[in-house]
Amino acid sequence: MNPTSYLVLATLLFTIGAAGVLLRRNALVAFMSVELMLNAANLAFVTFARMHGNLDGQIVAFFVMVIAAAEVVVGLAIIVMIFRTRRSASVDDASLLKL
Amino acid sequence: MNSINSLSQGFAVQADVVRADTVQVVQEASGLFSWTWLLIALPLVGAAVLLLGGRRLDRTGHLIGSAAAIGSFVVAVALFIALLGESGGERSYLVPLWEWFNAGGYEVRVDLLLDQLSMAFVLLITGVGSLIHIYSIGYMEHDERRRRFFGYLNLFVASMLLLVLAADYLILFIGWEGVGLASYLLIGFWQHKPSAAVAAKKAFVVNRVGDMGMVLAIASMLVVFGSSSFEVVFAGAGSGVTTGWLNAIGLLLLLAACGKSAQFPLQSWLLDAMEGPTPVSALIHAATMVTAGVYLVVRSAAIYDLAPEARTAVVVIGAITLLMGAIIGCAKDDIKKALAGSTMSQIGYMMLAAGLGPAGYAFAIFHLITHGFFKANLFLGAGSVMHGMNDEVDMRRFGALRAAMPVTFATFALGYLAIIGLPPFAGFFSKDKIIEAAFAENILIGICALLGAGITAFYMTRVMLLTFFTSKRWADDAHPHESPRVMTWPLIGLGALSVAGGAGLLYIGGGIVDWLEPVTGEEHHDLPLPLALLIALTLTTVVAGVALAWFMYQRRPVPAVAPAGNPLVTAARRDLYGDAVNEAVLMRPGQYLTRSLVYVESRGVDGAVLGAANAVGGLSSRWRRWQTGFVRSYALTMLAGAGLVVIAMLLVRLP
């Protein structure tokens, strides 16, 4: 199968994820969209590793997975705390960091 | 212009004249002479005790102060007798005290130099100073700050003694500034009067202008000679220094002398200084302060002898001031201000003589000393009149006082006869010598001096007539009475000196010219006209001045209010517009300059700094609106940024 198709799929997934982050208000959905973008990048890395015939891209993909797992732990904890205090998970409500 | 050129040519020829016949040997002081420092220490300790002693000395302060001055005079007389015992060329003693500082290759020692010149000054300062101290006991009797007054007087005397005894220009400068400080404190002694406070400030500020000349002169000496001690400077002046440097130093010293001696163009403080108590005026005008400038010029003879242009400047300044002071003296109704104008004029004579070089130095000092006698006499006499007339100073409110205060009248008359220069009184000998020397030098300068003598006779006769003769014009509550003995005895002493001082100094034991010759050198010129004719001419001028005053003031009634006079009288009443010129030339432009500098500072410098701060602040308050707090807008910004980076990389085709 032509590896270029994987790259096209990765681009599509990344675009969906970016659009989700920018357009959805719910913090959990935005969070899931971020995960989608990370995994699109992973897919691109693995595809390039295959195309160039070395393992560099696969190793980076593992690192991304580990980072993503750690990020999920911290991010979910924050979202849960925000939901508990404000009874809402909308990112537009949490816009206090301004003058 | 022509005459000035020929004048300086005359000087250039003279510069080749050998300065002194006998070579002066400066010896290390021993025995009695090593006690010279006592002269300064006594009044200095007196000042310290009186100023720090507090109220417990209020009852005895005047006695302590007078004792310090008299003690100093006794030491001076002892030293003088000891000096007389030496031969002419060996009367110069260096009294080493301690090293003041030694830095950067310059060594300054606190040494005193006791020679013929300083001895003459020391005797004048302590002698006349002591008489003024005694007189002040009576004059200041009802002033509750009398103790402090005597403390300042002692400080004044001590500073002046340091000035004339110093053997180094830097040490001289300490005395110089001390005199300035003491004069400030004394002129403003009645500081509750705003006019006195302003006059004191004015004297101080004008003197600072002169002091700049002194500072620059000392700096030049350090650059050129590597030292400011008399020994090094005078030895160096004769060997290998350009005339340009010598002229520069000479002119700077002249500026300093102009400030202290109230010479044109720094004369304006002297008339205002009359705000001080009258004994202070006597002290400033007779013994201390204004004589310092003449001392400086005569002491720096070694420099002026080789700096013809600077000497010409001294003569010209002296001649201008001589006439200015005399003209101002003619128009003043305030008795003290008339006498102050007279001081300016007489100091002008001394400067003129000092500028004539070795031919005139001794006569400058001679006139300085006789002037010290009769001017102290006149001022203390004026103080005695004021004492009896409820501190009235307007001569139009005096008149016919000779019967009410006979002793004051008699002594004042002696001073008057001395200052107008009638033989055999003191002023005749000293002033005549200066007029002679001036004529021998240059006919124009001689005529100035002669004219000055005539005007002097006029204004002093005017003072004399308005005060002691003519009709009574007293205020209603005036009860003129003779002053107490503590005030009249000093007057009698000074009156006697005004009579005998001139002939005595000129003829006894070789006289003052021989006495000063080792320091100042001596030189005779041929007069362009016979001496007898010149003396006759001088006396005729004097008599003409007296006669004119007699017709103007004795033969006509004196109006109680000054009548409007011609433009010259108006100008003289306003000090020949000295203050007006100072205001127009210096004060106003100075104010404009400071105001424009303030404007530049507040608008320019502050504007740049504050403008930059405001610009940063304004931009920040605009740009912070971008921080909306919405996470999604931040995410959009990040995406746009990342997109830009990708596009840029594609454009430059980075691998």
Side-chain angles (χ1 to χ4, degrees):
Chain A
M1 205 175 170
N2 189 0
T4 319
S5 312
Y6 291 98
L7 288 180
V8 173
L9 177 63
T11 311
L12 279 174
L13 286 174
F14 188 88
T15 311
I16 293 167
V21 169
L22 289 178
L23 298 177
R24 298 302 295 265
R25 290 202 185 87
N26 191 309
L28 272 175
V29 177
F31 200 64
M32 280 156 61
S33 302
V34 169
E35 291 302 312
L36 198 59
M37 286 161 74
L38 285 170
N39 283 307
N42 272 351
L43 183 59
F45 273 125
V46 174
T47 311
F48 284 132
R50 176 84 180 181
M51 283 163 73
H52 293 293
N54 61 18
L55 288 175
D56 292 359
Q58 298 192 16
I59 291 169
V60 174
F62 275 116
F63 275 111
V64 171
M65 272 188 239
V66 173
I67 302 275
E71 183 227 325
V72 166
V73 172
V74 177
L76 273 179
I78 293 172
I79 291 169
V80 169
M81 285 308 292
I82 288 176
F83 186 77
R84 268 195 187 168
T85 51
R86 310 179 71 89
R87 288 284 142 202
S88 149
S90 165
V91 287
D92 284 4
D93 283 352
S95 64
L96 299 174
L97 197 65
K98 64 177 180 191
L99 265 172
Chain B
M1 203 59 218
N2 243 339
S3 62
I4 292 174
N5 276 340
S6 63
L7 205 64
S8 57
Q9 275 160 15
F11 284 140
V13 176
Q14 274 175 37
D16 300 327
V17 173
V18 178
R19 270 175 43 72
D21 302 333
T22 41
V23 178
Q24 180 88 323
V25 188
V26 180
Q27 311 174 55
E28 191 94 343
S30 60
L32 181 61
F33 295 110
S34 54
W35 290 90
T36 305
W37 56 270
L38 257 185
L39 285 171
I40 304 169
L42 280 173
L44 197 62
V45 169
V49 167
L50 289 178
L51 293 178
L52 300 176
R55 295 208 170 276
R56 77 197 72 146
L57 292 177
D58 272 356
R59 281 158 177 259
T60 53
H62 52 283
L63 298 176
I64 298 173
S66 305
I70 294 168
S72 190
F73 179 60
V74 170
V75 176
V77 170
L79 287 170
F80 178 60
I81 292 169
L83 270 191
L84 280 179
E86 309 280 330
S87 70
E90 293 167 354
R91 284 171 177 160
S92 182
Y93 284 92
L94 190 71
V95 188
L97 294 181
W98 70 87
E99 182 185 75
W100 187 20
F101 64 81
N102 188 347
Y106 299 122
E107 190 195 10
V108 176
R109 292 189 51 82
V110 181
D111 290 349
L112 303 180
L113 176 69
L114 185 75
D115 63 0
Q116 293 92 331
L117 180 60
S118 21
M119 195 68 239
F121 268 90
V122 166
L123 284 172
L124 175 73
I125 296 163
T126 55
V128 175
S130 299
L131 288 175
I132 294 172
H133 272 76
I134 296 169
Y135 176 93
S136 305
I137 296 176
Y139 191 86
M140 301 298 283
E141 194 174 1
H142 304 298
D143 198 306
E144 56 188 25
R145 292 157 72 228
R146 182 165 65 164
R147 169 185 55 84
R148 188 184 300 216
F149 182 78
F150 274 85
Y152 293 159
L153 282 188
N154 273 351
L155 180 65
F156 211 159
V157 170
S159 307
M160 191 65 193
L161 287 171
L162 179 62
L163 198 162
V164 299
L165 283 170
D168 186 305
Y169 279 100
L170 264 175
I171 309 299
L172 183 152
F173 190 57
I174 298 175
W176 189 268
E177 290 301 308
V179 170
L181 168 70
S183 68
Y184 169 79
L185 293 170
L186 284 169
I187 293 169
F189 186 72
W190 287 323
Q191 72 241 114
H192 52 84
K193 287 196 297 184
S195 56
V198 170
K201 234 184 329 187
K202 184 172 180 182
F204 202 70
V205 169
V206 175
N207 266 292
R208 290 289 80 66
V209 178
D211 291 348
M212 276 319 293
M214 189 77 188
V215 170
L216 291 175
I218 294 175
S220 310
M221 286 171 196
L222 289 176
V223 169
V224 179
F225 305 110
S227 166
S228 57
S229 79
F230 290 164
E231 202 183 345
V232 177
V233 171
F234 297 158
S239 54
V241 180
T242 60
T243 317
W245 268 116
L246 290 174
N247 272 325
I249 294 175
L251 289 173
L252 288 169
L253 288 175
L254 173 63
L255 177 64
C258 281
K260 247 340 153 238
S261 289
Q263 297 294 292
F264 176 80
L266 298 178
Q267 82 286 7
S268 61
W269 65 270
L270 191 72
L271 290 154
D272 290 21
M274 293 300 109
E275 288 294 337
T278 310
V280 175
S281 308
L283 197 57
I284 288 180
H285 289 244
T288 58
M289 190 89 180
V290 294
T291 54
V294 181
Y295 170 78
L296 187 69
V297 173
V298 174
R299 177 55 88 191
S300 310
I303 294 171
Y304 281 103
D305 283 352
L306 300 170
E309 281 80 16
R311 253 168 61 186
T312 310
V314 176
V315 171
V316 171
I317 294 278
I320 292 175
T321 317
L322 181 169
L323 292 174
M324 265 184 86
I327 292 170
I328 291 173
C330 291
K332 291 288 179 186
D333 289 333
D334 179 329
I335 186 169
K336 285 175 76 183
K337 292 205 169 170
L339 290 176
S342 150
T343 300
M344 260 175 76
S345 167
Q346 301 300 315
I347 304 278
Y349 270 109
M350 297 167 208
M351 288 299 254
L352 193 156
L356 297 177
Y361 291 137
F363 300 139
I365 301 302
F366 180 29
H367 192 53
L368 195 153
I369 293 172
T370 55
H371 174 258
F373 297 154
F374 57 68
K375 189 48 70 64
N377 181 2
L378 290 169
F379 261 114
L380 296 184
S384 178
V385 170
M386 287 161 59
H387 195 71
M389 294 288 284
N390 301 338
D391 286 329
E392 179 66 69
V393 289
D394 188 354
M395 289 191 289
R396 293 183 187 278
R397 298 245 156 240
F398 293 163
L401 286 172
R402 66 184 183 282
M405 26 185 92
V407 180
T408 306
F409 165 66
T411 54
F412 198 92
L414 294 178
Y416 158 73
L417 291 170
I419 194 173
I420 65 171
L422 280 186
F425 298 95
F428 166 73
F429 298 97
S430 54
K431 198 186 288 180
D432 224 49
K433 286 287 176 196
I434 293 180
I435 295 174
E436 264 173 47
F439 263 107
E441 187 68 40
N442 180 297
I443 194 90
L444 189 69
I445 297 294
I447 289 172
C448 281
L450 189 62
L451 199 61
I455 306 178
T456 306
F458 172 78
Y459 68 72
M460 282 314 299
T461 310
R462 177 176 176 270
V463 169
M464 192 71 194
L465 291 176
L466 288 181
T467 307
F468 293 104
F469 293 89
T470 61
S471 56
K472 290 180 188 177
R473 297 178 304 275
W474 306 342
D476 296 335
D477 58 343
H479 303 287
H481 54 85
E482 187 55 272
S483 301
R485 290 222 184 108
V486 72
M487 287 167 71
T488 49
W489 277 108
L491 282 175
I492 293 168
L494 287 166
L497 285 169
S498 305
V499 177
L505 282 171
L506 195 58
Y507 296 120
I508 292 176
I512 188 165
V513 178
D514 276 6
W515 168 260
L516 287 173
E517 192 256 5
V519 184
T520 59
E522 196 179 3
E523 198 178 286
H524 293 289
H525 290 280
D526 295 328
L527 276 171
L529 62 175
L531 182 59
L533 179 64
L534 183 61
I535 293 177
L537 204 59
T538 313
L539 287 178
T540 314
T541 319
V542 167
V543 171
V546 173
L548 183 64
W550 172 269
F551 282 114
M552 281 183 69
Y553 296 100
Q554 183 68 20
R555 302 294 295 273
R556 295 186 211 162
V558 180
V561 180
N566 56 35
L568 183 62
V569 173
T570 317
R573 279 191 187 132
R574 299 189 53 195
D575 307 347
L576 292 180
Y577 301 115
D579 284 339
V581 169
N582 279 351
E583 276 179 25
V585 176
L586 301 170
M587 195 187 92
R588 299 247 168 70
Q591 282 177 340
Y592 286 133
L593 184 67
T594 48
R595 272 188 211 138
S596 50
L597 279 178
V598 166
Y599 183 82
V600 168
E601 203 273 336
S602 64
R603 296 297 164 93
V605 179
D606 275 10
V609 173
L610 294 179
N614 285 338
V616 171
L619 279 177
S620 330
S621 58
R622 293 281 162 79
W623 287 351
R624 78 176 182 197
R625 308 232 174 270
W626 294 351
Q627 302 291 322
T628 54
F630 293 110
V631 176
R632 294 189 301 143
S633 80
Y634 298 157
L636 182 62
T637 315
M638 279 168 71
L639 183 72
L644 276 178
V645 169
V646 169
I647 291 168
M649 284 171 82
L650 288 176
L651 281 179
V652 298
R653 292 172 182 273
L654 274 178

